[in-house]
Amino acid sequence: MDATTLSLKKPGGLAVQLVHATTEQIRSGRLKAGDKLPTEAAIMKDFGVSRTVVREAISRLQASGWVDTRHGIGTFVLPKSEHPSFRISPEQMGTLREVIALLEFRISVETEAAALAAVRRTPDDLSELRLSLQAFNSALEEGRDAVMADHQFHQGIARATQNHHFVDLMHSMGAGVIPRARISGILTTDPERQNYLRRVNQEHESIYNAIADQDVEAARAAMRTHLANSRERLRKSDPDSPG
């Protein structure tokens, strides 16, 4: 990535500018399908931005289908053929009710994805899921929100189905579907937020264990419980949400 292509003059829009610079390099061919992006540390140094800005930019690139991140390996430019035609944009998740509606949609899709993953997962799939869990633990210990690790865990399950439609769907939704931003407004204290993240982590562990054991029904139930719990926490914060 060429730092000279980005002008960092508007603090509120650094992530957007970084996304623009990266997509321009992809469109121009300077970054090609399969190319690995620089590390977070390298991007921070080159552009003089914080880790938070880099992670937000990568999240936006994922949501737009430009890149794919695999924990422990790196972030890679996706081929144009893998850019999803179905897209859920951040603008479509502008209200709490829309986030709840998306969670309902995810329950129907990801419950079956977990079941398929339990049947079809490979040793490499399990390694990737374990790396995502470790990244979540690290974020928890460092007091971060773990959004990227959370999304990568769900993407890893989609890949473990060996069905590209599940993968495309997760790419189309991006890390923005993780309802952490909404939860952060509901959880008013750091201890409450940490307890919430620990519960999410435990739910992820249950899903992983079921997939590793190739227990189809347990994987299906664990994913349904995980997403339903998120939905119910949001519903309780919105008295006008549908029952």
Side-chain angles (χ1 to χ4, degrees):
M1 295 174 68
D2 181 2
T4 63
T5 64
L6 182 61
S7 175
L8 303 181
K9 296 180 179 179
K10 299 178 181 179
L14 296 182
V16 173
Q17 294 176 59
L18 186 52
V19 168
H20 178 72
T22 306
T23 55
E24 282 301 306
Q25 291 185 69
I26 295 172
R27 289 191 180 101
S28 68
R30 282 177 287 171
L31 282 174
K32 298 178 174 59
D35 284 353
K36 184 178 179 180
L37 298 189
T39 64
E40 285 184 358
I43 297 174
M44 290 166 61
K45 180 179 178 181
D46 288 344
F47 293 101
V49 295
S50 69
R51 191 176 301 275
T52 299
V53 168
V54 175
R55 287 179 173 170
E56 182 183 347
I58 295 298
S59 177
R60 288 171 179 262
L61 289 166
Q62 287 178 320
S64 300
W66 290 103
V67 302
D68 179 34
T69 300
R70 296 196 176 189
H71 281 296
I73 303 175
T75 299
F76 298 86
V77 178
L78 286 170
K80 289 183 179 180
S81 62
E82 294 188 22
H83 293 174
S85 57
F86 174 75
R87 183 78 44 85
I88 296 176
S89 67
E91 292 75 18
Q92 291 174 281
M93 295 181 285
T95 68
L96 194 57
R97 295 186 71 178
E98 288 168 343
V99 175
I100 291 171
L102 182 57
L103 274 168
E104 291 175 346
F105 173 69
R106 289 181 61 196
I107 288 170
S108 66
V109 173
E110 293 190 61
T111 294
E112 292 310 309
L116 283 175
V119 175
R120 300 174 179 174
R121 93 290 186 278
T122 66
D124 285 344
D125 292 326
L126 291 179
S127 294
E128 182 181 343
L129 290 173
R130 177 47 63 189
L131 285 171
S132 298
L133 292 173
Q134 291 170 353
F136 196 109
N137 271 320
S138 296
L140 188 56
E141 292 172 0
E142 296 167 11
R144 295 186 282 107
D145 60 18
V147 167
M148 293 299 293
D150 195 333
H151 187 243
Q152 285 304 307
F153 179 74
H154 287 271
Q155 281 189 314
I157 291 171
R159 279 189 283 269
T161 67
Q162 316 306 328
N163 182 324
H164 74 89
H165 293 296
F166 285 102
V167 178
D168 290 347
L169 180 60
M170 290 307 297
H171 280 315
S172 75
M173 292 191 289
V177 300
I178 304 300
R180 198 80 78 249
R182 295 293 180 181
I183 292 295
S184 65
I186 297 164
L187 305 179
T188 56
T189 66
D190 285 339
E192 189 178 16
R193 184 180 181 83
Q194 289 298 96
N195 287 336
Y196 165 76
L197 291 176
R198 288 191 184 95
R199 288 196 299 272
V200 171
N201 194 38
Q202 290 168 357
E203 291 167 4
H204 282 181
E205 288 282 355
S206 295
I207 296 167
Y208 172 85
N209 290 336
I211 291 174
D213 292 341
Q214 294 194 297
D215 188 331
V216 173
E217 290 307 318
R220 185 180 279 126
M223 179 62 81
R224 178 174 291 278
T225 296
H226 170 52
L227 294 176
N229 283 348
S230 293
R231 179 189 60 186
E232 292 312 306
R233 281 186 284 265
L234 289 172
R235 275 182 174 172
K236 287 177 182 178
S237 70
D238 180 14
D240 297 324
S241 65

